[in-house]
Amino acid sequence: MLKFRAINAIACVLALSGNPLSLAVAGSIGYLGPAGSWTHQACLDLFGARDLVPLSRDELFTAYADGKIERACVPATTSAVGATPYLDAVIDLPDVRIVAEYPKMLGYSLLAKPGTKRGDIVAVHAHPVAFEEVRPWLEREMPRVRRIDAASAGAAAQTVARSVTPDAASFGPKVGADIYPLVSLVDGIEEGPHNVTRWWVLGRQMPAPTGDDKTSLLVAVSDATLSSTLAEFGAAGVRILTIYERPSKKTLDTHRYLVEVEGHAKQGALAAFLEEHRELRVLGSYPRR
């Protein structure tokens, strides 16, 4: 535990240093910081504490695009709100490769300064998506507290740690209490299958087929051709798993669709289908979880 706390304390210092990109080197893994965010926790689960670099949203996507980091971890979808605010940033990248997905069932902790009691809290800080995910508990248990949006769970915990009064709290992973001088007042808030976030790991090389894979495709079509385009997937024996509509940023009657299908882009019916439909953009093929 002491080693874990030390490593995460270093991560916190890097997040506060003002120049985390100075440590973004080949082999490093960027995540949405500062330390103590859910994406930080996802990276700890996937990769351990080494080689993690906390970055702001803009820094993360710029560092990945420029090759300053080897991988980036991004929350893509949630069971509570669907597409996250970061999904569009991923599909806007001119050259991206999704190499893994990581779904995690979340259970939030309410973090505050030592000595703070729940009755003392007048304001809570959290990411807007987090507020949606804890809303049933919050409305039942703390309906009168003020809700203040934060860029991430790490930023929320950081704000509470810096507060000069003991009347603030944040929602996020319990790891925030290992990084900042905070304690957890309640754990496991809204934990369950209804509260799952899925991260994408962006890398460089497409993983080899495993026999149980998923492929994420970007399909840009007009409203008039959407039905016929989707019908072609079924006709080719390609099973669609999920579809997320995103704005085309061009016209009202054109959209971009994140279409996730069963199979690997280099194998079987999907490979043949993609060979015939070069207009479809492959964002990545990766083991299905």
Side-chain angles (χ1 to χ4, degrees):
M1 178 58 77
L2 288 177
K3 182 179 179 182
F4 180 78
R5 285 178 179 271
I7 289 171
N8 282 288
I10 292 171
C12 183
V13 170
L14 296 181
L16 295 170
S17 67
N19 189 25
L21 281 175
S22 65
L23 297 167
V25 296
S28 60
I29 303 156
Y31 69 88
L32 292 165
S37 67
W38 272 115
T39 305
H40 183 202
Q41 181 63 66
C43 285
L44 291 171
D45 295 346
L46 290 169
F47 308 114
R50 295 187 60 185
D51 302 321
L52 303 184
V53 181
L55 301 169
S56 71
R57 173 185 172 136
D58 290 344
E59 289 172 338
L60 180 68
F61 289 106
T62 299
Y64 174 78
D66 293 346
K68 293 181 179 178
I69 54 176
E70 184 66 21
R71 286 171 286 183
C73 191
V74 182
T77 60
T78 83
S79 55
V81 301
T84 72
Y86 309 104
L87 189 146
D88 285 337
V90 173
I91 63 179
D92 283 343
L93 288 167
D95 185 20
V96 65
R97 184 69 66 204
I98 303 167
V99 299
E101 66 173 357
Y102 179 57
K104 182 178 179 66
M105 188 165 61
L106 306 187
Y108 281 85
S109 293
L110 181 67
L111 306 180
K113 284 190 167 186
T116 299
K117 298 180 176 60
R118 277 177 57 179
D120 300 330
I121 298 169
V122 299
V124 287
H125 301 255
H127 190 279
V129 173
F131 276 128
E132 285 300 310
E133 293 176 330
V134 302
R135 183 163 52 87
W137 185 92
L138 187 58
E139 292 181 348
R140 183 179 67 249
E141 300 291 337
M142 304 176 70
R144 294 181 178 83
V145 298
R146 188 158 50 101
R147 307 176 190 187
I148 302 174
D149 288 349
S152 70
Q158 190 180 86
T159 297
V160 172
R162 289 172 170 174
S163 175
V164 296
T165 58
D167 58 2
S170 69
F171 287 113
K174 193 175 181 180
V175 70
D178 291 316
I179 297 169
Y180 304 100
L182 301 173
V183 296
S184 177
L185 302 182
V186 187
D187 293 322
I189 297 171
E190 291 300 327
E191 184 171 2
H194 62 286
N195 191 4
V196 176
T197 291
R198 178 175 63 127
W199 281 266
W200 279 337
V201 178
L202 312 182
R204 305 298 172 184
Q205 300 296 324
M206 181 180 292
T210 67
D212 187 15
D213 299 296
K214 179 188 289 187
T215 295
S216 294
L217 303 171
L218 188 62
V219 181
V221 294
S222 67
D223 293 350
T225 59
L226 175 60
S227 293
S228 60
T229 298
L230 294 180
E232 293 184 44
F233 282 82
V238 177
R239 182 185 175 202
I240 295 175
L241 300 173
T242 55
I243 301 175
Y244 294 93
E245 183 271 329
R246 310 310 302 151
S248 70
K249 303 180 181 180
K250 295 179 180 179
T251 65
L252 282 175
D253 62 348
T254 58
H255 299 81
R256 296 183 298 176
Y257 294 89
L258 170 67
V259 179
E260 299 190 298
V261 300
E262 194 173 68
H264 194 282
K266 301 294 186 182
Q267 196 173 54
L270 179 56
F273 178 71
L274 292 173
E275 182 65 27
E276 294 180 2
H277 294 273
R278 298 292 185 90
E279 74 278 9
L280 303 182
R281 182 182 171 198
V282 179
L283 302 177
S285 289
Y286 44 89
R288 186 176 176 187
R289 296 185 65 169

